[in-house]
């Protein structure tokens, strides 16, 4: 019998030859290994395609499309995802080793949530910085966020970013996917739509590095 993975990892890719190996390695080095990786090459003109193609892991699927932007690339990844829980990683960012494990744990503990998220850090050439997020209990904490919108008002830092969330397919079917007409902040629009209809489960574990 065929086995659908627990998580689909969607990675939009456009001219990130210098960084995509770091992103992929951070996925394959996860403590939780029941996943598939769907890379959507959005018309790259460098050797990004060849770098991804060099990976032999059978869980990696590489799909090419003409350049259409990150929203349609992610939507194409969602279309091809076989898992009912989807995570998103940008090709120039990376995950910390227990990110997927944490997302799975949150879903098991809070099955009615519409999105699962972890904290993150900002990556620079020589160091990382943890954003000061107000309105969330200090580490270690996990639970349902009291109000996503209240956190946005009271904190200068976002509670989570696109690369630190997992979203069930049922949520995306309900609220919609990424809006291709929004070219800056398409991820925030999706978060707003989810937060208006569903509770959001959260862990203060730093699960992703946003470079």
């Amino acid at each position: 019998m065929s086995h659908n993975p627990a998580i689909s990892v969607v990675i939009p890719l456009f001219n990130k030859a210098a960084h995509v190996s770091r992103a992929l390695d951070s996925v394959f080095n996860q403590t939780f290994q029941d996943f598939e990786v769907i890379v959507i090459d959005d018309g790259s003109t460098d050797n990004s395609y060849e770098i991804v193609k060099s990976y032999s892991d059978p869980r990696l699927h590489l799909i090419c499309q003409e350049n259409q932007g990150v929203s349609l690339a992610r939507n194409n990844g969602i279309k091809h995802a076989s898992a009912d829980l989807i995570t998103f990683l940008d090709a120039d960012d990376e995950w910390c080793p227990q990110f997927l494990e944490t997302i799975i744990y949150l879903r098991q503990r809070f099955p009615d949530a519409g999105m699962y998220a972890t904290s993150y850090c900002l990556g620079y050439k020589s160091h990382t910085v943890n954003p000061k997020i107000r309105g969330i209990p200090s580490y270690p904490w996990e639970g349902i966020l009291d109000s996503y919108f209240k956190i946005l008002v009271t904190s200068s830092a976002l509670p989570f970013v696109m690369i630190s969330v997992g979203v069930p397919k049922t949520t995306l079917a309900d609220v919609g996917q990424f809006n291709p007409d929004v070219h800056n902040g398409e991820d925030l629009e999706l978060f707003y739509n989810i937060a208006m209809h569903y509770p959001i489960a959260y862990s203060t574990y730093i699960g992703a590095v946003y470079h």
Side-chain angles (χ1 to χ4, degrees):
M1 295 179 64
S2 61
H3 166 71
N4 285 342
I7 297 182
S8 292
V9 181
V10 173
I11 302 179
L13 173 65
F14 179 72
N15 289 352
K16 290 295 188 290
H19 308 293
V20 66
S21 289
R22 178 181 64 194
L24 288 173
D25 290 347
S26 77
V27 177
F28 290 119
N29 288 330
Q30 290 291 298
T31 56
F32 183 87
Q33 288 284 306
D34 186 13
F35 58 76
E36 66 176 357
V37 185
I38 303 171
V39 177
I40 305 295
D41 189 325
D42 189 36
S44 293
T45 57
D46 62 3
N47 65 328
S48 295
Y49 175 90
E50 287 76 15
I51 292 173
V52 176
K53 198 70 175 175
S54 69
Y55 282 76
S56 59
D57 195 300
R59 294 172 295 178
L60 175 60
H61 311 285
L62 178 57
I63 299 170
C64 296
Q65 66 178 35
E66 294 183 1
N67 182 254
Q68 301 178 65
V70 66
S71 290
L72 287 176
R74 288 183 181 135
N75 289 345
N76 196 10
I78 294 168
K79 174 184 175 182
H80 286 87
S82 58
D84 61 0
L85 182 61
I86 301 176
T87 54
F88 303 91
L89 180 62
D90 290 344
D92 54 356
D93 296 320
E94 62 182 308
W95 284 338
C96 300
Q98 291 179 285
F99 171 70
L100 291 181
E101 179 182 338
T102 303
I103 294 295
I104 285 291
Y105 174 77
L106 287 174
R107 194 181 194 197
Q108 291 171 344
R109 186 176 176 192
F110 306 103
D112 295 328
M115 182 162 62
Y116 306 93
T118 75
S119 189
Y120 62 98
C121 66
L122 305 175
Y124 297 92
K125 287 185 177 180
S126 60
H127 64 288
T128 60
V129 174
N130 297 342
K132 296 181 179 180
I133 306 168
R134 297 181 179 180
I136 296 177
S138 58
Y139 179 87
W141 179 84
E142 62 201 15
I144 298 296
L145 294 180
D146 180 48
S147 171
Y148 171 70
F149 297 104
K150 184 178 180 180
I151 295 171
L152 295 184
V153 172
T154 59
S155 178
S156 59
L158 296 171
F160 48 80
V161 290
M162 193 71 250
I163 64 170
S164 69
V165 304
V167 186
K169 265 188 175 180
T170 52
T171 299
L172 295 169
D174 185 24
V175 307
Q177 301 180 9
F178 294 92
N179 186 348
D181 295 325
V182 177
H183 302 291
N184 186 16
E186 73 289 335
D187 51 350
L188 295 178
E189 182 184 66
L190 178 64
F191 296 161
Y192 299 159
N193 291 337
I194 294 174
M196 285 190 294
H197 295 90
Y198 291 94
I200 297 174
Y202 187 86
S203 170
T204 51
Y205 168 72
I206 295 176
V209 184
Y210 181 82
H211 288 278

